Coordinates of all heavy atoms in Angstrom, one line a residue:
V79 N -51.9 23.4 61.3 CA -52.2 24.7 60.8 C -52.1 24.8 59.3 O -51.3 25.5 58.7 CB -51.3 25.8 61.4 CG1 -51.9 27.2 61.2 CG2 -51.2 25.5 62.9
F80 N -52.8 23.9 58.6 CA -52.9 23.9 57.1 C -51.6 23.7 56.4 O -51.4 24.1 55.3 CB -53.5 25.3 56.6 CG -54.7 25.7 57.3 CD1 -54.9 27.0 57.6 CD2 -55.8 24.8 57.6 CE1 -56.1 27.4 58.3 CE2 -56.9 25.2 58.2 CZ -57.1 26.5 58.5
D81 N -50.7 22.9 57.0 CA -49.4 22.7 56.4 C -49.5 21.7 55.2 O -50.6 21.1 55.0 CB -48.4 22.1 57.4 CG -48.7 20.7 57.8 OD1 -49.9 20.3 57.7 OD2 -47.8 20.0 58.4
K82 N -48.5 21.7 54.4 CA -48.5 20.8 53.2 C -48.5 19.3 53.7 O -47.8 19.0 54.7 CB -47.3 21.0 52.3 CG -47.2 22.5 51.8 CD -48.5 22.9 51.1 CE -48.3 24.4 50.6 NZ -49.5 24.9 49.9
K83 N -49.1 18.4 53.0 CA -49.2 17.0 53.4 C -48.2 16.2 52.6 O -47.9 16.4 51.4 CB -50.6 16.5 53.2 CG -51.7 17.3 53.9 CD -51.4 17.4 55.4 CE -52.4 18.3 56.1 NZ -52.1 18.6 57.5
D84 N -47.6 15.2 53.3 CA -46.6 14.4 52.7 C -47.2 13.4 51.7 O -48.3 12.9 51.8 CB -45.8 13.6 53.8 CG -45.0 14.5 54.6 OD1 -44.5 15.5 54.1 OD2 -44.9 14.3 55.9
L85 N -46.4 13.1 50.7 CA -46.7 12.0 49.7 C -45.4 11.2 49.5 O -44.3 11.7 49.3 CB -47.1 12.7 48.3 CG -47.8 11.8 47.3 CD1 -49.2 11.3 47.9 CD2 -48.0 12.5 46.0
F86 N -45.6 9.9 49.6 CA -44.5 8.9 49.6 C -44.5 7.9 48.5 O -45.6 7.7 47.9 CB -44.4 8.2 51.0 CG -44.2 9.1 52.2 CD1 -45.3 9.5 52.9 CD2 -42.9 9.4 52.6 CE1 -45.1 10.3 54.0 CE2 -42.7 10.2 53.7 CZ -43.8 10.7 54.4
V87 N -43.4 7.4 48.2 CA -43.3 6.3 47.2 C -43.8 5.0 47.9 O -43.1 4.5 48.8 CB -41.9 6.1 46.7 CG1 -41.8 4.9 45.7 CG2 -41.4 7.4 45.9
D88 N -44.9 4.5 47.5 CA -45.5 3.3 48.1 C -45.1 2.0 47.3 O -45.0 1.0 47.9 CB -47.0 3.5 48.1 CG -47.7 2.4 49.0 OD1 -47.1 2.1 50.1 OD2 -48.8 2.0 48.7
L89 N -45.0 2.1 46.0 CA -44.5 1.0 45.2 C -43.6 1.6 44.1 O -43.8 2.6 43.6 CB -45.7 0.3 44.5 CG -46.7 -0.4 45.4 CD1 -47.9 -0.9 44.5 CD2 -46.1 -1.6 46.1
A90 N -42.5 0.8 43.8 CA -41.6 1.1 42.7 C -40.9 -0.2 42.4 O -39.9 -0.6 43.1 CB -40.7 2.2 43.0
Y91 N -41.4 -1.0 41.4 CA -40.9 -2.4 41.3 C -40.8 -2.8 39.8 O -41.4 -2.2 38.9 CB -41.8 -3.3 42.0 CG -43.2 -3.5 41.4 CD1 -43.4 -4.4 40.4 CD2 -44.2 -2.6 41.7 CE1 -44.7 -4.5 39.8 CE2 -45.5 -2.7 41.1 CZ -45.7 -3.7 40.1 OH -46.9 -3.8 39.5
L92 N -40.1 -3.9 39.7 CA -40.0 -4.6 38.4 C -40.3 -6.1 38.7 O -39.7 -6.6 39.6 CB -38.6 -4.4 37.8 CG -38.4 -5.1 36.4 CD1 -39.3 -4.5 35.3 CD2 -36.9 -5.1 36.0
K93 N -41.2 -6.6 37.9 CA -41.6 -8.0 38.1 C -41.3 -8.8 36.8 O -41.8 -8.4 35.8 CB -43.1 -8.1 38.5 CG -43.6 -9.5 38.6 CD -45.1 -9.4 38.9 CE -45.8 -10.8 39.0 NZ -47.3 -10.7 39.2
L94 N -40.6 -9.9 37.0 CA -40.3 -10.8 35.8 C -40.9 -12.1 36.1 O -40.8 -12.6 37.2 CB -38.8 -10.9 35.6 CG -38.0 -9.6 35.5 CD1 -36.5 -9.9 35.4 CD2 -38.4 -8.8 34.3
S95 N -41.5 -12.7 35.1 CA -42.1 -14.0 35.3 C -41.9 -14.9 34.0 O -41.6 -14.3 32.9 CB -43.6 -13.9 35.6 OG -44.3 -13.6 34.5
T96 N -42.2 -16.2 34.2 CA -42.0 -17.1 33.0 C -43.4 -17.4 32.4 O -43.5 -18.3 31.7 CB -41.4 -18.4 33.4 OG1 -42.1 -19.0 34.5 CG2 -40.0 -18.1 33.9
A97 N -44.4 -16.6 32.7 CA -45.8 -16.8 32.2 C -45.7 -16.8 30.7 O -45.2 -15.9 30.0 CB -46.7 -15.7 32.7
G98 N -46.4 -17.8 30.1 CA -46.5 -17.8 28.6 C -45.3 -18.5 27.9 O -45.3 -18.7 26.7
L99 N -44.3 -18.9 28.7 CA -43.1 -19.6 28.1 C -43.3 -21.1 28.3 O -43.4 -21.6 29.4 CB -41.9 -19.1 28.8 CG -41.5 -17.6 28.7 CD1 -40.3 -17.3 29.5 CD2 -41.4 -17.2 27.2
D100 N -43.4 -21.8 27.2 CA -43.7 -23.2 27.2 C -42.7 -24.0 28.0 O -43.0 -25.0 28.7 CB -43.8 -23.8 25.8 CG -44.9 -23.2 25.0 OD1 -45.9 -22.7 25.6 OD2 -44.9 -23.2 23.7
Q101 N -41.4 -23.6 27.9 CA -40.4 -24.4 28.6 C -40.4 -24.3 30.1 O -39.8 -25.1 30.8 CB -39.0 -24.0 28.1 CG -38.6 -22.5 28.3 CD -39.0 -21.7 27.1 OE1 -40.1 -21.9 26.5 NE2 -38.1 -20.8 26.7
F102 N -41.2 -23.3 30.6 CA -41.3 -23.1 32.1 C -42.8 -23.4 32.5 O -43.1 -23.0 33.6 CB -40.9 -21.7 32.5 CG -39.5 -21.4 32.4 CD1 -39.0 -20.8 31.2 CD2 -38.6 -21.8 33.4 CE1 -37.6 -20.5 31.1 CE2 -37.3 -21.5 33.3 CZ -36.7 -20.9 32.2
E103 N -43.6 -24.0 31.7 CA -45.0 -24.2 32.0 C -45.2 -25.0 33.3 O -46.1 -24.8 34.1 CB -45.7 -24.9 30.9 CG -47.2 -25.1 31.1 CD -47.9 -25.7 29.9 OE1 -47.2 -26.0 28.9 OE2 -49.1 -25.9 29.9
S104 N -44.3 -26.0 33.5 CA -44.5 -26.9 34.7 C -43.8 -26.3 35.9 O -44.1 -26.7 37.1 CB -43.9 -28.3 34.4 OG -42.5 -28.2 34.1
V105 N -42.9 -25.3 35.8 CA -42.2 -24.7 36.9 C -42.2 -23.2 36.8 O -41.2 -22.6 36.5 CB -40.8 -25.3 37.1 CG1 -40.8 -26.6 37.7 CG2 -40.1 -25.3 35.8
P106 N -43.4 -22.6 36.9 CA -43.5 -21.1 36.7 C -42.7 -20.4 37.8 O -42.8 -20.6 39.0 CB -45.0 -20.8 36.8 CG -45.5 -21.9 37.6 CD -44.7 -23.1 37.3
L107 N -41.9 -19.4 37.4 CA -41.0 -18.6 38.2 C -41.5 -17.1 38.2 O -41.9 -16.7 37.1 CB -39.6 -18.7 37.9 CG -38.8 -20.0 38.1 CD1 -37.5 -20.0 37.3 CD2 -38.6 -20.2 39.6
T108 N -41.4 -16.4 39.3 CA -41.6 -15.0 39.4 C -40.6 -14.4 40.2 O -40.2 -14.8 41.3 CB -43.0 -14.7 40.0 OG1 -44.0 -15.4 39.2 CG2 -43.3 -13.2 39.9
L109 N -40.0 -13.3 39.7 CA -39.0 -12.5 40.4 C -39.4 -11.1 40.6 O -39.9 -10.4 39.6 CB -37.6 -12.6 39.6 CG -36.5 -11.7 40.2 CD1 -36.0 -12.3 41.5 CD2 -35.4 -11.7 39.1
W110 N -39.3 -10.6 41.8 CA -39.7 -9.2 42.1 C -38.4 -8.4 42.6 O -37.6 -9.0 43.3 CB -40.7 -9.1 43.3 CG -42.1 -9.6 43.0 CD1 -43.2 -8.9 42.6 CD2 -42.5 -10.9 43.2 NE1 -44.3 -9.7 42.5 CE2 -43.9 -11.0 42.8 CE3 -41.9 -12.1 43.6 CZ2 -44.6 -12.2 42.9 CZ3 -42.6 -13.3 43.7 CH2 -44.0 -13.3 43.3
G111 N -38.3 -7.2 42.2 CA -37.2 -6.3 42.7 C -37.7 -4.9 42.9 O -38.5 -4.4 42.1
G112 N -37.3 -4.3 44.0 CA -37.7 -2.9 44.3 C -38.5 -2.8 45.5 O -38.3 -3.5 46.5
K113 N -39.6 -2.0 45.5 CA -40.6 -1.9 46.6 C -41.9 -2.4 46.1 O -42.5 -1.7 45.2 CB -40.6 -0.4 47.1 CG -41.5 -0.2 48.3 CD -41.4 1.2 48.8 CE -42.2 1.4 50.1 NZ -41.8 0.6 51.2
F114 N -42.4 -3.5 46.6 CA -43.5 -4.2 45.9 C -44.5 -4.7 47.0 O -44.2 -4.7 48.2 CB -43.1 -5.3 45.0 CG -42.0 -6.1 45.7 CD1 -42.2 -7.2 46.5 CD2 -40.6 -5.8 45.4 CE1 -41.2 -8.0 47.1 CE2 -39.6 -6.6 46.0 CZ -39.9 -7.7 46.8
E115 N -45.7 -5.1 46.6 CA -46.6 -5.7 47.5 C -46.1 -7.1 47.9 O -45.4 -7.8 47.2 CB -48.0 -5.9 46.8 CG -48.6 -4.5 46.4 CD -50.0 -4.7 45.8 OE1 -50.2 -5.7 45.2 OE2 -50.8 -3.8 45.9
T116 N -46.5 -7.5 49.1 CA -46.0 -8.7 49.8 C -46.3 -9.9 48.9 O -47.4 -10.2 48.7 CB -46.6 -8.9 51.2 OG1 -46.6 -7.6 51.9 CG2 -45.9 -9.9 51.9
P117 N -45.2 -10.6 48.5 CA -45.5 -11.8 47.5 C -45.6 -13.1 48.2 O -45.8 -14.1 47.5 CB -44.2 -11.7 46.7 CG -43.1 -11.3 47.6 CD -43.8 -10.3 48.6
W118 N -45.6 -13.2 49.5 CA -45.7 -14.4 50.2 C -47.1 -14.5 51.0 O -47.7 -13.4 51.2 CB -44.6 -14.7 51.2 CG -44.4 -13.7 52.3 CD1 -45.0 -13.8 53.6 CD2 -43.7 -12.5 52.3 NE1 -44.7 -12.7 54.3 CE2 -43.8 -11.9 53.6 CE3 -42.9 -11.9 51.4 CZ2 -43.2 -10.7 53.9 CZ3 -42.3 -10.7 51.7 CH2 -42.5 -10.1 53.0
S119 N -47.5 -15.6 51.4 CA -48.8 -15.8 52.1 C -48.6 -15.4 53.5 O -47.6 -15.8 54.1 CB -49.3 -17.2 51.9 OG -49.6 -17.6 50.6
F120 N -49.6 -14.7 54.1 CA -49.5 -14.3 55.5 C -50.9 -14.0 56.0 O -51.9 -13.9 55.2 CB -48.6 -13.1 55.6 CG -49.1 -11.8 54.9 CD1 -49.9 -10.9 55.6 CD2 -48.9 -11.6 53.6 CE1 -50.4 -9.8 55.0 CE2 -49.4 -10.5 53.0 CZ -50.1 -9.6 53.7
T121 N -51.0 -13.8 57.3 CA -52.2 -13.3 57.9 C -52.0 -12.0 58.6 O -50.8 -11.6 58.9 CB -52.8 -14.3 58.9 OG1 -51.9 -14.4 60.1 CG2 -52.9 -15.7 58.3

């Protein structure tokens, strides 16, 4: 009956990476924290 519709927090994250840092060129690292998109491979 025309009620108000819900809106939710779908993402809220901080992402840190070593992109562009020469000392980490061979071993790039990425760190996620919060609510984020799935960072691993899956089907």
Side-chain angles (χ1 to χ4, degrees):
V79 197
F80 310 139
D81 68 342
K82 306 300 182 184
K83 304 306 177 185
D84 293 323
L85 196 64
F86 297 93
V87 177
D88 193 36
L89 294 175
Y91 69 91
L92 181 66
K93 176 182 175 182
L94 307 177
S95 73
T96 59
L99 300 178
D100 294 338
Q101 59 269 41
F102 290 96
E103 183 177 0
S104 59
V105 284
L107 291 166
T108 305
L109 174 68
W110 294 265
K113 186 172 180 64
F114 43 87
E115 294 181 335
T116 311
W118 63 90
S119 299
F120 64 95
T121 69

